Amino acid sequence: MGFGYAITEVTLQRPLIGRKWAWAGFILVAVGAVTAMVPVSLGRASVLYTFYPPMIGNPFYYVGVVLVVVGSWIWVVLMGVNLAAWKHDNPGSPVPLAMYANAAGAFLWGWTAVGAAIEILFMILPVAFGLRSTIDAGLARIFFSWTLHAIVYFWLIPAYIAYYTIFPRAIGGRIYSDPMARISFITFLVIAMPIGVHHLFADPQVGAGFKFMHSVFTALVSVPTLITIFTICASAEIAGRLRGGKGAVGWLAALPWKNPIMLATALSLVMLGFGGAGGLINMTYQLNASIHNTQWVTGHFHLIFGGAVVIMYFAIAYDLWPHLTERAFEDVGLMRTQLWLWFIGMVVMTFPWHYVGILGMPRRMAFFDYSNPALAPEALSVVISTVGAVILVVSGFLFLAILIRGATARRVDTGAYRFAVAVHQPVSLPVALNTFSLWVALMIGLSIVNYGFPIAQLMTLKNTSAPAVYVGGTQ
Amino acid sequence: MSEERLFSLSNKWFVASVGATAGVALIAAFAGLVWFPLAQKNANLASIWDAICSAAGVPRVASSVTPVPSAFKTSQVVVTTSILNHPSVSAIGQGATLAQRCAICHGPEGISGANAPNLAGQPAIVIYKEFERFQIWRAR
């Protein structure tokens, strides 16, 4: 959300409209997070991230989650309002790429959060407060899957914004193609949403046909990802050649490898490659059966989100921090160390997880009997992954230390913050690539096609509810 | 540019994006709801409509054969999820004392060293139900 506000002010070159609302949204998110985490820390909401009905935790956990979602919706509205106001004052001008992508992320989140909101407000909370004692777990899981998968693209989009609009500028190059970037973001907006059922491949309440449809659209997500990898590599080649690199691979050597943003992007793409390959296995209906609900899945999303995405969040922080603090930010060597540690730690932690997943180690177990000889082959991998986790913790503390050192360094004039520009900066754009109405309409339409029947069917079927199981609740 | 109408058949972006999205959705729906179910030889689907219903997850009507009612009741025990929610302190203490007997075979932490079933990780209500059944069986 903070990065979104920064993008809005920098790219639209005007103060944010609704600053008080933005603070209200931030406070709601902060209060909601604390409200949710207190019962979790007390062990009264051990229902995990996906809520897992018919398990029902302490009502305050769900109330906290609702506050977080409502707070984030304020951000969504503010992004829309600021974009609309700017367009009103600049009719026909191309929306700056970073802002366009940022708004795509906001609209994606606005719609995808609806699923979990419906689940909590209409299904879980009445049970958590004791007004009802049964819950349709299958339907609730479908609503959660509505949110569950697109939420990861909502997290991914800031990393992609950094690929497109920070990375080329930081290495002294230009974006290979501005419209290509826009197509990538709107493709995410349209097809990131109606694919969540691939999390429910092992669930009986969704028909195999709809699972297949969701699988097909999940596969299509590789399109914007491959567009991005092509465009980013082409942008890097532009930078390499501008810096004097020659020949088929000479431009690679000419890239500024000592620049933390360069390093972070390269490491991120490596992790994205491995994570994406694993993702193809997850989304394939048949292959999914061998890794469903195993530690493989935990390895996959840590590699993609904790690895490829979070390392770009570090890059964004390193890029923005001197402009926020107006101080010199010179610990470049430390930053490289931190990024390398993060990369190594993430690989050492998640690769063994993938392996033990294939061996059959379940994710989300309250208890492992490590004295069981059948589990012995998994022990070494689990120990190695712990080493990776320790490296990650060191890297995390190093990150904070670098930011603190940066905030106390000598004052300098850091100049205005700017995003990368394209080789051919657009003077005018087709209206489709400068607005969102078509893409939001397609997103909603496709959601109805892919989710409409399974939801409608379960809502009308009788006797699909199960007794709620209260976990550490007050019932 | 502002005159360019987006939601119009003359806008190639509109036609291409809606066409591609609808096209992929239709092909995926055809493959998932019609082609693959019919290709399954053992699915015993009478018609295309049957295939669509089956792949869409519509529950099949139970066969016309009347189910055979059970001659005996498998369990007398009735439990609800809230039955164990407010145990008294003395009941917990008594249970802890009694549980020492269980530990001989099931292990002090519920992991059996004696080929008895492991109890670790079992929900409390499951253990409770087993005990109720045991009590009824003993009383016979």
Side-chain angles (χ1 to χ4, degrees), chain A residues 209-293:
Chain A
F210 282 99
K211 287 175 179 168
F212 178 76
M213 288 178 71
H214 283 246
S215 186
V216 168
F217 279 99
T218 314
L220 280 183
V221 174
S222 59
V223 173
T225 305
L226 293 174
I227 290 178
T228 301
I229 291 170
F230 174 80
T231 314
I232 297 313
C233 292
S235 306
E237 184 177 347
I238 291 171
R241 295 202 186 281
L242 282 175
R243 295 168 61 91
K246 301 250 182 296
V249 288
W251 59 272
L252 276 170
L255 288 173
W257 289 102
K258 294 200 163 168
N259 182 329
I261 312 286
M262 177 73 224
L263 181 66
T265 307
L267 297 178
S268 172
L269 287 180
V270 171
M271 291 189 278
L272 188 72
F274 280 108
L280 290 178
I281 291 169
N282 300 348
M283 60 121 246
T284 309
Y285 195 1
Q286 292 83 350
L287 292 178
N288 181 278
S290 58
I291 48 90
H292 195 91
N293 260 344

Side-chain angles (χ1 to χ4, degrees), chain A residues 92 183 190 207-210 212-213 216-217 220 367 369 371 428-435 437-439 441-442 446 449 453 457 461 467-470 474-475, chain B residues 1-2 4-7 11 13-14 17-18 21-22 24-29 31-33 36 53-59 81-82 85-86 109 111 118 120-121:
Chain A
I183 289 173
V190 174
F210 282 99
F212 178 76
M213 288 178 71
V216 168
F217 279 99
L220 280 183
F367 185 85
D369 175 12
S371 65
S428 74
L429 280 167
V431 71
L433 291 186
N434 208 30
T435 59
S437 51
L438 173 60
W439 313 116
L442 271 177
L446 202 55
V449 167
F453 182 81
Q457 182 194 254
L461 267 182
V469 179
Y470 292 95
T474 49
Q475 286 293 286
Chain B
M1 201 182 86
S2 52
E4 188 187 338
R5 283 187 58 216
L6 184 55
F7 290 89
N11 188 319
W13 287 92
F14 175 77
S17 61
V18 175
T21 312
V24 172
L26 280 174
I27 292 170
L33 296 170
F36 294 155
C53 288
S54 145
V58 178
T81 50
S82 53
N85 275 358
H86 298 289
E109 287 176 335
I111 304 292
N118 293 337

Side-chain angles (χ1 to χ4, degrees), chain A residues 89-404:
Chain A
D89 297 341
N90 300 272
S93 307
V95 177
L97 175 61
M99 185 60 198
Y100 189 77
N102 179 39
F107 295 145
L108 176 65
W109 172 243
W111 176 242
T112 194
V114 169
I118 292 175
E119 184 195 6
I120 293 186
L121 290 178
F122 296 108
M123 304 187 72
I124 292 181
L125 271 182
V127 184
F129 279 117
L131 304 173
R132 240 185 276 154
S133 61
T134 60
I135 186 165
D136 187 339
L139 181 60
R141 287 173 63 93
I142 291 182
F143 276 124
F144 195 82
S145 83
W146 171 316
T147 298
L148 181 55
H149 201 70
I151 199 175
V152 304
Y153 295 115
F154 165 62
W155 294 332
L156 190 73
I157 280 180
Y160 273 46
I161 294 176
Y163 287 162
Y164 279 112
T165 65
I166 293 180
F167 167 69
R169 188 257 298 142
I171 62 168
R174 289 190 155 218
I175 308 170
Y176 174 68
S177 165
D178 181 283
M180 199 92 116
R182 287 169 200 260
I183 289 173
S184 162
F185 285 109
I186 51 167
T187 319
F188 266 126
L189 182 58
V190 174
I191 56 179
M193 192 21 242
I195 60 179
V197 163
H198 70 237
H199 291 248
L200 305 178
F201 277 155
D203 280 37
Q205 78 276 17
V206 185
F210 282 99
K211 287 175 179 168
F212 178 76
M213 288 178 71
H214 283 246
S215 186
V216 168
F217 279 99
T218 314
L220 280 183
V221 174
S222 59
V223 173
T225 305
L226 293 174
I227 290 178
T228 301
I229 291 170
F230 174 80
T231 314
I232 297 313
C233 292
S235 306
E237 184 177 347
I238 291 171
R241 295 202 186 281
L242 282 175
R243 295 168 61 91
K246 301 250 182 296
V249 288
W251 59 272
L252 276 170
L255 288 173
W257 289 102
K258 294 200 163 168
N259 182 329
I261 312 286
M262 177 73 224
L263 181 66
T265 307
L267 297 178
S268 172
L269 287 180
V270 171
M271 291 189 278
L272 188 72
F274 280 108
L280 290 178
I281 291 169
N282 300 348
M283 60 121 246
T284 309
Y285 195 1
Q286 292 83 350
L287 292 178
N288 181 278
S290 58
I291 48 90
H292 195 91
N293 260 344
T294 66
Q295 198 68 354
W296 166 287
V297 179
T298 324
H300 166 73
F301 67 72
H302 276 83
L303 188 55
I304 282 271
F305 176 67
V309 171
V310 168
I311 208 166
M312 289 314 288
Y313 288 6
F314 291 144
I316 293 170
Y318 289 151
D319 206 48
L320 267 176
W321 195 248
H323 293 271
L324 294 173
T325 57
E326 294 188 326
R327 285 167 196 271
F329 204 39
E330 287 156 340
D331 297 329
V332 182
L334 266 184
M335 290 180 211
R336 283 201 303 271
T337 312
Q338 189 265 331
L339 294 168
W340 271 113
L341 281 180
W342 191 262
F343 173 74
I344 294 167
M346 196 55 75
V347 168
V348 172
M349 182 175 78
T350 59
F351 280 29
W353 275 356
H354 280 83
Y355 176 65
V356 290
I358 297 172
L359 293 183
M361 179 174 180
R363 68 195 280 213
R364 293 176 175 151
M365 287 286 286
F367 185 85
F368 273 107
D369 175 12
Y370 283 109
S371 65
N372 186 338
L375 298 185
E378 299 168 5
L380 180 63
S381 307
V382 173
V383 172
I384 294 174
S385 70
T386 316
V387 174
V390 172
I391 300 174
L392 287 173
V393 171
V394 172
S395 174
F397 279 115
L398 194 54
F399 171 68
L400 293 177
I402 292 169
L403 290 192
I404 292 167

Side-chain angles (χ1 to χ4, degrees), chain B residues 50-70:
Chain B
D50 253 19
I52 294 175
C53 288
S54 145
V58 178
R60 290 202 198 182
V61 183
S63 67
S64 53
V65 183
T66 36
V68 182
S70 172

Side-chain angles (χ1 to χ4, degrees), chain B residues 3 9 14 34 37 82 86 92 124:
Chain B
E3 302 95 66
L9 287 179
F14 175 77
V34 180
S82 53
H86 298 289
I92 294 175

